Amino acid sequence: MSSVPSGNGGEARNKLRAIVVGGSIGGLATAAVLNNQGGWEVKVYEKSSGDLSQRGAGIFTTRPMLAYLQKLGILSEGDDIDMGRVGVPLDERWLLDREGEKIYTYAGISQISGSWSTVYSHCRASMNPENYHQGVEVESYRESEEGVEVIFKDNARRPERCDVLVGADGSSSKIRSLLIDEIARKLDPLTTENVLGRMEVDRNLQDIFQAVDSTGTVVKNARGEGSDGATTRENSGNHNFIELKQQLLKKLESSRRPNFANYVAYRFVLPEKSVVAINPHWFHTFCFWASRDEIFVLCYPMVGYEKNTQAGDRLWNTVCYVKPTKEQQRTIRDASSAALAVDNATLQSLRSTLEKFLPTELVKLYLGDLSQKMCHPVSEFHMPLATNCSRVVLIGDAATTHRPHPAVGTTKAIEDAIALGRCLQGKTFPRPLATTLQPAVVHTDTIAAGLLQYNNERVPKQRLAYEHGRTVGACLFGDRADNVEELDLALLKKAVRLTARYSDDVKCEIESN
């Protein structure tokens, strides 16, 4: 490939450099994809210094995704997908009554219940330990014609320069917040007079507007162009540019922090044997207990300790969604807490709700040991941009965090990594940044062009997952026009079906690679 200027007057280097902020599955998958296609030197920085392998619980994926992870070398050929060595195939969903009897069955799905820790451990093992740095927090970045300079919170660590900075640092992403600040600074001095007639918007800002509306009509209207392409002050673009800019800034600012969806999730993980002892029919499928606007419980088997996938040796994962107590609402509103401790009052409220809808023996198992139980606020946001259309890009939950109901969070992050690698393949020289509002030459082989392509492909898909989660949430906890039981049951059945919906994007990405 073409050599890349070193940026410091030294000899040209043969590899582009990427820094990935966030060392979870999405960040590790990004490193694996770029390393696999060659031409990249990738370093990963993770803020946490602890063991991440025990952070997650159950995740869902598909055979095409697992096959792609094998192709990258993350999973070995010995991890037989069809034999269930990396996950538990699940084919049905059951909505159950309090006695555990089926009310509704939804079949015909093809999902694999895996373990977050198993996938993370495989991803981590595939990474060169010399390029994976834990306990390192990024403070900021500076962008110039020579690249992105990443500045760390620890002043003793020297800044590092890269060609692409990837924010894979989750829903509370530092990189996303810095990106919003950067775009706001670029947009702030723009007025209608800047955009019309005497001065052109520089190419990077045009890309930013185009990324929000991939048809390009936003850029066209902002410039006040008529149907013949001529600039006209009578055109609607003459008076709506400021409104357009303010709308974009408002959307960006609303994406800075996740928004509380007004219900919380409790998670319980039990040995499968203890659950099967209550009902031997539950071990092979999804089980749901639900009551409209009160509770939604999702249970399923997943990979056990020591990667066991044999029936009886697996784990039983449960997620229970309920409305928060008044005290929890105050805590979430005041502190935006990522996790909430379970006090005695909350425990009694949860116990009362569970006992109304779940088998008594199962409730006893769930609430047997609450010494370390936590609950998590369900939160969401959708970022209208996943890049500054120059050198910085967001993936996974850093780009969009949706409610957990679509069960595609981990897969979405890996999809983003695959798409980013494909869009950057063959891209070499970064486009020089315009220092004034002057037009720049457009090059389709630049990193900036690749990031714009990634944005226009992935942001609509990220929004679909976001809207899908909101749709399920509305079925469960949305406003009730009446109290008709038939309507409530229909909405709960719809929620069960929607949780089975799975994206085909992975298959498309795999076929493209």
Side-chain angles (χ1 to χ4, degrees):
M1 74 180 273
S2 301
S3 60
V4 181
S6 66
N8 57 9
E11 294 181 359
R13 50 188 167 85
N14 293 321
K15 287 189 175 184
L16 292 165
R17 292 173 182 161
I19 287 180
V20 179
V21 179
S24 189
I25 291 177
L28 290 168
T30 301
V33 170
L34 293 178
N35 285 328
N36 185 68
Q37 70 185 34
W40 286 90
E41 176 188 322
V42 186
K43 291 185 179 181
V44 176
Y45 290 94
E46 166 57 41
K47 181 171 78 170
S48 172
S49 58
D51 181 11
L52 302 187
S53 63
Q54 302 305 315
R55 279 191 170 185
I59 60 173
F60 295 98
T61 187
T62 61
R63 286 178 174 82
M65 170 60 77
L66 295 176
Y68 187 80
L69 294 180
Q70 284 182 333
K71 177 182 175 181
L72 289 178
I74 292 176
L75 295 180
S76 68
E77 293 300 325
D79 294 315
D80 194 303
I81 297 168
D82 293 320
M83 294 299 292
R85 293 178 185 168
V86 294
V88 181
L90 300 173
D91 300 319
E92 287 187 340
R93 277 164 157 74
W94 295 351
L95 181 61
L96 306 174
D97 64 16
R98 189 180 182 280
E99 305 306 319
E101 298 298 321
K102 284 188 283 186
I103 301 172
Y104 174 66
T105 299
Y106 183 70
I109 60 173
S110 178
Q111 287 181 300
I112 296 174
S113 164
S115 164
W116 189 95
S117 61
T118 298
V119 176
Y120 168 80
S121 297
H122 280 291
C123 289
R124 181 69 179 83
S126 71
M127 183 78 193
N128 182 345
E130 294 183 358
N131 292 329
Y132 187 88
H133 307 276
Q134 277 194 266
V136 181
E137 186 173 355
V138 171
E139 179 67 23
S140 61
Y141 67 80
R142 285 194 295 261
E143 192 173 356
S144 69
E145 293 185 11
E146 299 173 338
V148 183
E149 187 178 53
V150 179
I151 301 162
F152 301 99
K153 193 168 186 178
D154 181 0
N155 292 329
R157 181 179 286 271
R158 296 180 60 184
E160 290 200 35
R161 193 179 299 279
C162 62
D163 298 295
V164 175
L165 175 61
V166 181
D169 47 342
S171 59
S172 299
S173 170
K174 175 74 170 183
I175 302 303
R176 182 178 71 251
S177 184
L178 294 170
L179 184 67
I180 291 171
D181 291 339
E182 177 198 348
I183 295 174
R185 286 195 301 271
K186 288 181 176 180
L187 293 178
D188 184 61
L190 291 184
T191 66
T192 304
E193 291 301 317
N194 292 139
V195 178
L196 299 176
R198 292 173 297 165
M199 299 185 75
E200 287 277 1
V201 180
D202 82 49
R203 188 71 221 174
N204 180 241
L205 287 169
Q206 290 184 30
D207 286 349
I208 288 173
F209 281 116
Q210 183 182 345
V212 180
D213 178 1
S214 60
T215 64
T217 57
V218 170
V219 179
K220 178 180 175 182
N221 290 339
R223 290 164 130 190
E225 292 179 355
S227 58
D228 59 355
T231 300
T232 61
R233 295 183 180 274
E234 294 75 27
N235 189 277
S236 60
N238 193 8
H239 61 264
N240 72 0
F241 175 74
I242 297 301
E243 180 183 352
L244 175 69
K245 183 179 79 169
Q246 293 303 321
Q247 288 175 354
L248 175 55
L249 289 172
K250 184 177 180 180
K251 288 180 180 179
L252 290 171
E253 189 59 38
S254 69
S255 306
R256 190 179 293 274
R257 298 176 185 84
N259 302 303
F260 180 44
N262 205 33
Y263 52 101
V264 298
Y266 293 85
R267 289 177 170 83
F268 309 95
V269 179
L270 300 170
E272 187 181 42
K273 289 179 179 178
S274 64
V275 179
V276 174
I278 300 175
N279 189 320
H281 301 295
W282 293 344
F283 74 90
H284 71 287
T285 190
F286 289 90
C287 296
F288 295 84
W289 285 270
S291 177
R292 178 101 161 91
D293 206 35
E294 291 187 84
I295 188 171
F296 187 71
V297 180
L298 164 63
C299 315
Y300 55 90
M302 70 177 193
V303 178
Y305 301 118
E306 305 301 326
K307 302 180 183 178
N308 290 326
T309 58
Q310 296 299 312
D313 294 328
R314 303 172 301 199
L315 295 174
W316 177 263
N317 191 49
T318 299
V319 184
C320 174
Y321 301 102
V322 295
K323 289 291 188 71
T325 63
K326 291 182 178 180
E327 181 59 33
Q328 286 178 324
Q329 285 180 319
R330 283 193 292 270
T331 302
I332 295 168
R333 182 175 61 251
D334 295 341
S336 299
S337 178
L340 305 172
V342 180
D343 58 22
N344 288 332
T346 302
L347 171 59
Q348 293 307 316
S349 174
L350 177 63
R351 185 189 302 276
S352 175
T353 302
L354 289 175
E355 288 178 342
K356 287 170 61 178
F357 304 107
L358 271 66
T360 302
E361 296 86 348
L362 196 56
V363 176
K364 291 179 179 178
L365 282 177
Y366 287 152
L367 303 183
D369 178 17
L370 279 170
S371 60
Q372 295 183 334
K373 288 291 186 294
M374 304 289 287
C375 79
H376 296 263
V378 176
S379 59
E380 61 184 358
F381 74 89
H382 172 66
M383 179 83 165
L385 284 164
T387 178
N388 65 352
C389 303
S390 179
R391 299 177 190 266
V392 184
V393 65
L394 304 173
I395 73 161
D397 284 347
T400 290
T401 293
H402 54 74
R403 304 187 196 190
H405 312 304
V408 296
T410 299
T411 294
K412 177 169 66 69
I414 299 175
E415 290 177 354
D416 287 349
I418 296 170
L420 179 62
R422 176 173 48 75
C423 292
L424 290 178
Q425 194 160 22
K427 304 297 189 289
T428 54
F429 294 96
R431 182 177 63 220
L433 296 175
T435 56
T436 60
L437 296 179
Q438 300 297 328
V441 179
V442 182
H443 296 290
T444 59
D445 62 345
T446 63
I447 285 174
L451 295 185
L452 178 60
Q453 178 187 351
Y454 165 85
N455 182 92
N456 293 345
E457 289 184 13
R458 293 306 300 170
V459 169
K461 296 180 187 299
Q462 292 162 354
R463 183 168 185 85
L464 283 176
Y466 169 79
E467 294 293 352
H468 186 65
R470 292 173 64 87
T471 299
V472 177
C475 290
L476 302 176
F477 297 105
D479 295 335
R480 305 176 72 175
D482 48 47
N483 196 28
V484 179
E485 290 187 8
E486 290 80 1
L487 176 61
D488 286 347
L489 181 58
L491 287 171
L492 291 176
K493 289 179 178 179
K494 179 181 178 181
V496 170
R497 292 193 301 272
L498 287 174
T499 60
R501 179 179 171 180
Y502 208 85
S503 170
D504 288 329
D505 301 341
V506 182
K507 183 178 179 182
C508 296
E509 290 298 341
I510 292 169
E511 289 176 348
S512 300
N513 284 268

